[in-house]
Amino acid sequence: MTDTPLITSPEHSVEGFVREFLRELNFTQGTVLERASTNDTYLALARTVRHYLMARWMETTTAHYRRQPKAVAYLSAEFLLGRQLDNALLAADLEEIAAEAMASLGLDLDELRQAEVEPGLGNGGLGRLAACFIDSLATMSVPAIGYGIRYEYGIFRQTFVDGRQVEEPDHWLDNGSPWEFAHPEHEVTVSFGGHTEKYTEGEGDDAVERSRWVPGWQVLGVPYNYMVPGYRNGRVNTLRLWSARATHAFDLKIFNYGDYAEAVRAQTFAENISKVLYPEDSTPQGKELRLQQQYFFVACSLRDFIDQLLPEGFDLHRLHERICFQLNDTHPVIAVPELMRILVDEQGFAWEEAWEVTRRCFAYTCHTLLPEALEVWPVELLGRLLPRHLEIIYRINDEFLDEVRATYGDDELLVRRMSIIAEHPFRAVRMAHLATVAGTRVNGVAELHSQLLRDKVLADFARLWPEKFTNVTNGVTPRRFVRLANPGLSALVTEAIGDGWVTDLDRLRELEPFADDPEFRRRFRDVKAANKQRLVELLERRDGIEIPTDTMLDVMVKRLHEYKRQTLKILHVISLYDRIVSGELDVAEVVPRTVVFGAKAAPGYVMAKEIIALINHVGAVVNSHPVASQVLRVAFPANYDVTVAETLIPAADLSEQISLAGKEASGTGNMKFALNGALTIGTDDGANVEIRQLVGDDNFFLFGLTEPEAAAIAETGYRPSAYYEENPVLRRALDLVARGEFSGGDRSVFEPVVSNLLGEDRFMVLADFQAYLDAQDRVEAAYRDPEAWSRSAVLNVARSGFFSSDRSMRDYLDRIWHAEPLAD
Ligand code: 26W
């Protein structure tokens, strides 16, 4: 593929691997086997694996540069990658070789795996989705690059003190980071602040008014490259994450002014930009530093793409032929005025020309429905930090509003609704509107979500530009979340239908007949049991939590948010506990179950943290009750992350997807559970709708209000206390909390949670309570018949192939990017 001399890959054999590994241990790690720490060994192993992918990476990069195909740049403030070692071993087909090589040296590959600290550079679904997407793009040989931020601290580490969440910094880089390549020589300068100046270019009739940005301060962006290996296809794409540094001017100042302390302070200031991931999920903080982060990484990324990835002298009028910048929610949307600024101010494009190109270079994915999650930036702040960009946004808005008026006449209410600039409660830039105006396409992340975007959130825009709106249902990578996370199931599936499913997940359909094969179902149950055993061991080792091995494993893992309704789940637990303890239910009648929660709350989200405390306190009471604990257990391991998910999801029997209909954009955990043979209890929300349609009503426990029903109730006035008054089971459960049953008799502790449910209950927990309990009764009945249950579980696996992120990528390629895989 290339004339550039390339180092050849190490030999693909146990001996070759051992040789390379020892060389790394000796030459790079500077130690010998008998003296090496686990971390030394892990680092040497990681670098060894890396070497096997290196040639493919260089070849892929060179091919992209030489052939200049249309590419995709995925702009995302978050990439929640998870551990790298296993995925790299899988991609390079080195799993067995590495295990044997390590064993031959008296080392345990499993133990080394556990030494890796996962890069937690994301909050939840949105960040993990980005990681799945780049995996799929690489596996499908699509020329693509991910651009984001190399946070020095990822998502906080969660611990519990007296059942309450305490956050600790996640210094994931402490033990070294063998998967990244720093390129300080490719640093990029990013400007902030200052003011703009008007000037006239040309003379007489040719004179044009132009604007010039005179920045106030600058920082440098240093790229760190990560390999994104395709699954055994000879390709390795790049993820480029930016780290902020002080400019060299700061160093000079030290000499010029002798104010060493001040110069170092300035340096710290610059480097703060990529210091920490904002742990806010769905509630924008409006913090200046966050806007700095957003502009920082997109400015670096556009500069990098134009200067490094395009050939010299490339005619930027044709930029859209080479790239689509996909905006992962609104966080990177400031890239729109940045590209305008580059084209108009730096390249001398006429405004109209620049807008023509810019409009064709961007597409926008929205990941939410909650009004409070739609980002807005105060004009005051944006103008102070990025004065030229604010001017550009105003001009985009002026021209856009002219178009609105030209289409609909002077409907000022409509104009105000659609404006990129909001006037109330303060003047602010609506980033979703800017993205919608600028993007070639706007997509939601599940059918229902995209429909609600069209009908509600962005209805005015959908009326103006119906052709802009489309859907791409989310997906998850089968490599990480089935093949790696569930080796038992993978082996069973491969034995039945071959291994083509790993890159063509629709082939799982071929499993359908096996659902009726008792022997296959037995083996499926054996796999589940073994996965539960793995989980039991993990929780014991990691958290000192003991759970039984042979109960129904009922799992709710996701960020803690009121709309996701962890409270509904804990009310179910409380109700079960109450009915057992009161003698209404005999333990012999109850299907033993272990309820596992995993959830982080945004540190400033008070109610979410109260709910965490409630779950932990209920758990403590239930687990120590001599009778209740025989059939009901609650486990809430702290710090749920990608690594825990990989052991937890394959062990689950029941997947809890119980958000209020119309609030969860898609969900992706729901897909991972179905693919690993858990049955879902869920509302008609997000991608649950599509999961149920595919797996069939008989293999899914649907309950609760539909979105139109919930909207109608909200419209006419929702009264949660009515449900409390009418439903004795609900009343008893809530009264237990209110009376202090789970807080040592102290009624004040969970008063805010109770009064919120009885007062506002924004997400209609009480309205769905009885329906949820009834659905759980159906779950119990179904679980009592292991043959029928495992038949349903196998059908869930067989019919969920649609939820591969490979399929999502095909949809983006066809509907939005109009790019293609690059043939060999
Ligand atoms: C701080 C502002 C802010 C606003 C929104 C931060 C983060 C967000 C995200 C949109 C929240 C998020 O992660 N959304 C989730 O995206 C997933 C991937 O598409 C979906 O599966 C989830 O349903 C959606 O909640």
Side-chain angles (χ1 to χ4, degrees):
M1 205 187 258
T2 165
D3 309 320
T4 323
L6 277 180
I7 198 104
T8 46
S9 291
E11 193 183 290
H12 200 90
S13 67
V14 175
E15 302 71 48
F17 197 94
V18 166
R19 214 175 313 129
E20 194 68 15
F21 169 78
L22 288 176
R23 205 162 62 150
E24 276 302 320
L25 197 63
N26 299 158
F27 290 0
T28 310
Q29 219 37 44
T31 186
V32 291
L33 195 53
E34 56 181 344
R35 308 262 323 134
S37 67
T38 304
N39 192 51
D40 286 326
T41 321
Y42 161 70
L43 290 175
L45 172 61
R47 289 206 189 87
T48 302
V49 177
R50 201 175 85 167
H51 288 178
Y52 282 85
L53 290 164
M54 220 58 210
R56 302 180 201 186
W57 193 17
M58 301 299 98
E59 275 168 14
T60 307
T61 312
T62 313
H64 290 172
Y65 189 77
R66 293 220 179 126
R67 294 164 65 181
Q68 294 285 314
K70 179 157 188 191
V72 178
Y74 202 78
L75 297 181
S76 179
E78 303 186 5
F79 286 91
L80 189 47
L81 297 171
R83 284 182 180 163
Q84 297 299 293
L85 176 60
D86 256 347
N87 190 52
L89 283 171
L90 176 70
D93 196 6
L94 282 170
E95 290 172 298
E96 282 170 23
I97 287 178
E100 268 185 55
M102 292 300 100
S104 77
L105 296 170
L107 297 165
D108 179 7
L109 179 57
D110 255 340
E111 192 190 321
L112 297 178
R113 284 192 174 103
Q114 289 167 31
E116 179 172 0
V117 179
E118 74 167 72
L121 309 184
N123 271 288
L126 166 138
R128 183 54 237 178
L129 187 75
C132 285
F133 281 5
I134 57 176
D135 176 90
S136 285
L137 288 168
T139 295
M140 295 162 71
S141 304
V142 176
I145 179 163
Y147 279 121
I149 302 174
R150 180 184 178 271
Y151 301 104
E152 205 175 309
Y153 294 87
I155 185 70
F156 63 84
R157 302 245 171 101
Q158 178 191 54
T159 61
F160 297 136
V161 175
D162 296 333
R164 295 187 165 267
Q165 172 175 298
V166 172
E167 303 90 27
E168 285 169 7
D170 161 52
H171 205 186
W172 68 286
L173 293 164
D174 263 353
N175 297 339
S177 48
W179 303 103
E180 65 183 15
F181 295 77
H183 282 281
E185 77 285 3
H186 284 146
E187 68 187 23
V188 170
T189 304
V190 181
S191 301
F192 289 95
H195 60 276
T196 62
E197 288 173 355
K198 299 266 173 278
Y199 69 101
T200 313
E201 197 182 72
E203 278 167 27
D205 288 349
D206 293 338
V208 267
E209 279 286 302
R210 287 193 169 273
S211 194
R212 170 162 49 216
W213 181 16
V214 186
W217 52 282
Q218 297 181 316
V219 299
L220 298 176
V222 175
Y224 284 69
N225 293 336
Y226 292 73
M227 294 191 279
V228 184
Y231 175 79
R232 301 181 189 176
N233 65 340
R235 301 294 171 92
V236 177
N237 280 348
T238 301
L239 169 63
R240 187 158 295 159
L241 302 181
W242 298 95
S243 178
R245 292 288 137 79
T247 56
H248 308 300
F250 283 127
D251 304 340
L252 264 182
K253 268 193 190 146
I254 300 175
F255 295 104
N256 292 346
Y257 303 109
D259 193 346
Y260 175 73
E262 179 56 24
V264 171
R265 196 198 61 76
Q267 188 155 339
T268 310
F269 174 83
E271 290 173 7
N272 263 341
I273 290 182
S274 56
K275 187 68 74 181
V276 57
L277 169 76
Y278 272 85
E280 308 306 321
D281 190 75
S282 303
T283 43
Q285 283 280 302
K287 291 270 169 60
E288 181 161 352
L289 184 60
R290 196 177 162 98
L291 181 56
Q292 287 174 12
Q293 290 184 335
Q294 296 183 353
Y295 179 63
F296 167 74
F297 98 86
V298 301
C300 289
S301 306
L302 293 190
R303 193 48 341 129
D304 179 72
F305 186 80
I306 292 170
D307 291 354
Q308 298 297 323
L309 302 186
L310 291 177
E312 239 182 80
F314 181 87
D315 176 8
L316 291 175
H317 291 91
R318 296 173 38 219
L319 185 59
H320 55 278
E321 294 171 16
R322 279 284 289 113
I323 193 71
C324 182
F325 292 108
Q326 186 66 35
L327 303 167
N328 198 24
D329 216 81
T330 54
H331 319 148
V333 169
I334 197 71
V336 169
E338 172 64 2
L339 183 57
M340 286 299 286
R341 188 192 66 79
I342 292 172
L343 296 178
V344 174
D345 296 3
E346 293 184 4
Q347 302 287 326
F349 278 39
W351 176 271
E352 294 70 24
E353 263 181 329
W355 183 238
E356 207 41 51
V357 173
T358 299
R359 277 181 36 196
R360 299 167 79 174
C361 284
F362 289 100
Y364 161 52
T365 306
C366 177
H367 294 265
T368 189
L369 281 159
L370 301 180
E372 68 265 35
L374 294 173
E375 257 183 332
V376 295
W377 288 110
V379 159
E380 177 278 319
L381 167 58
L382 210 144
R384 181 156 44 78
L385 210 58
L386 301 166
R388 178 60 183 138
H389 297 77
L390 182 61
E391 275 180 11
I392 291 171
I393 291 168
Y394 268 120
R395 176 144 177 206
I396 292 173
N397 195 40
D398 284 345
E399 295 184 358
F400 162 60
L401 294 180
D402 285 346
E403 187 180 338
V404 173
R405 290 194 183 93
T407 313
Y408 299 110
D410 277 343
D411 180 346
E412 275 314 300
L413 269 178
L414 178 72
V415 166
R416 248 183 279 168
R417 274 209 312 269
M418 295 184 80
S419 176
I420 294 170
I421 309 293
E423 299 295 334
H424 296 287
F426 46 84
R427 188 169 286 183
V429 181
R430 295 164 165 152
M431 302 309 270
H433 290 202
L434 178 55
T436 304
V437 171
T440 48
R441 290 286 183 277
V442 176
N443 79 284
V445 289
E447 291 289 351
L448 174 64
H449 177 233
S450 296
Q451 183 201 318
L452 292 170
L453 281 184
R454 270 188 294 249
D455 296 349
K456 296 191 170 180
V457 184
L458 297 171
D460 295 325
F461 295 89
R463 184 163 66 120
L464 182 60
W465 297 310
E467 67 291 344
K468 259 197 201 195
F469 286 76
T470 186
N471 171 252
V472 178
T473 298
N474 283 166
V476 303
T477 171
R479 270 73 63 189
R480 179 177 293 267
F481 290 106
V482 183
R483 175 63 180 74
L484 286 171
N486 202 339
L489 181 63
S490 297
L492 186 59
V493 171
T494 296
E495 192 187 312
I497 65 169
D499 65 0
W501 60 272
V502 178
T503 50
D504 182 3
L505 208 58
D506 285 328
R507 305 247 324 246
L508 288 178
R509 281 270 172 200
E510 295 164 25
L511 277 181
E512 273 199 37
F514 291 89
D516 292 315
D517 174 349
E519 173 60 12
F520 188 85
R521 289 198 305 259
R522 188 191 58 72
R523 294 180 64 193
F524 176 87
R525 288 194 297 273
D526 287 347
V527 166
K528 228 355 133 194
N531 291 344
K532 284 186 194 178
Q533 187 56 40
R534 267 202 311 169
L535 175 68
V536 167
E537 285 159 20
L538 175 76
L539 293 185
E540 166 80 69
R541 182 174 73 232
R542 177 185 184 272
D543 304 275
I545 295 177
E546 249 182 80
I547 59 165
T549 34
D550 51 358
T551 62
M552 181 207 295
L553 200 75
D554 175 355
V555 184
M556 181 162 191
V557 286
K558 48 189 77 252
R559 282 298 284 252
L560 201 308
H561 201 292
E562 286 163 281
Y563 84 78
K564 296 180 188 279
R565 303 200 295 190
Q566 280 91 353
T567 40
L568 184 55
K569 176 76 254 175
I570 201 67
L571 282 175
H572 169 234
V573 171
I574 293 169
S575 190
L576 267 178
Y577 164 82
D578 174 40
R579 290 162 67 205
I580 296 165
V581 169
S582 68
E584 182 188 323
L585 272 180
D586 191 292
V587 285
E589 297 171 64
V590 181
V591 172
R593 71 164 95 196
T594 303
V595 178
V596 182
F597 289 90
K600 291 181 184 179
Y605 188 174
V606 176
M607 183 56 71
K609 292 175 119 175
E610 289 306 316
I611 294 167
I612 285 180
L614 175 62
I615 295 169
N616 277 321
H617 282 76
V618 169
V621 171
V622 170
N623 294 343
S624 61
H625 192 281
V627 183
S629 67
Q630 292 170 27
V631 288
L632 181 62
R633 298 289 188 89
V634 179
F636 193 166
N639 202 45
Y640 174 66
D641 58 8
V642 177
T643 305
V644 174
E646 288 166 4
T647 306
L648 187 45
I649 292 172
D653 294 305
L654 187 64
S655 159
E656 298 276 351
Q657 309 300 335
I658 60 178
S659 53
L660 174 63
K663 301 299 173 192
E664 187 71 272
S666 163
T668 44
N670 48 1
M671 302 168 183
K672 295 166 196 164
F673 281 104
L675 277 167
N676 281 282
L679 273 60
T680 304
I681 182 166
T683 48
D684 227 357
D685 200 14
N688 298 354
V689 178
E690 290 155 77
I691 293 176
R692 183 172 57 84
Q693 282 164 357
L694 281 163
V695 306
D697 286 295
D698 296 344
N699 307 303
F700 187 108
F701 301 96
L702 173 70
F703 76 97
L705 297 168
T706 62
E707 189 280 329
E709 287 167 352
I713 295 179
E715 194 68 33
T716 53
Y718 171 54
R719 250 186 15 100
S721 54
Y723 295 90
Y724 171 84
E725 281 147 22
E726 283 159 20
N727 186 336
V729 180
L730 172 60
R731 197 161 59 233
R732 273 166 50 186
L734 276 172
D735 286 352
L736 275 184
V737 180
R739 269 194 258 113
E741 172 89 1
F742 308 107
S743 41
D746 187 339
R747 292 159 171 263
S748 68
V749 178
F750 296 119
E751 194 279 329
V753 179
V754 175
S755 63
N756 182 277
L757 287 176
L758 289 172
E760 190 190 10
D761 189 18
R762 214 184 128 197
F763 300 105
M764 302 187 178
V765 172
L766 302 201
D768 271 344
F769 176 80
Q770 191 56 52
Y772 182 55
L773 258 57
D774 295 344
Q776 288 288 4
D777 285 344
R778 287 184 273 135
V779 169
E780 283 215 6
Y783 196 79
R784 283 180 212 281
D785 181 349
E787 294 298 339
W789 182 279
S790 46
R791 183 176 179 278
S792 280
V794 172
L795 288 175
N796 264 268
V797 178
R799 296 173 178 173
S800 294
F802 177 77
F803 300 107
S804 168
S805 46
D806 301 347
R807 189 270 315 148
S808 304
M809 292 298 87
R810 236 174 294 122
D811 288 348
Y812 275 92
L813 290 168
D814 294 345
R815 298 172 194 169
I816 300 177
W817 298 331
H818 307 296
E820 289 166 9
L822 186 64
D824 280 324

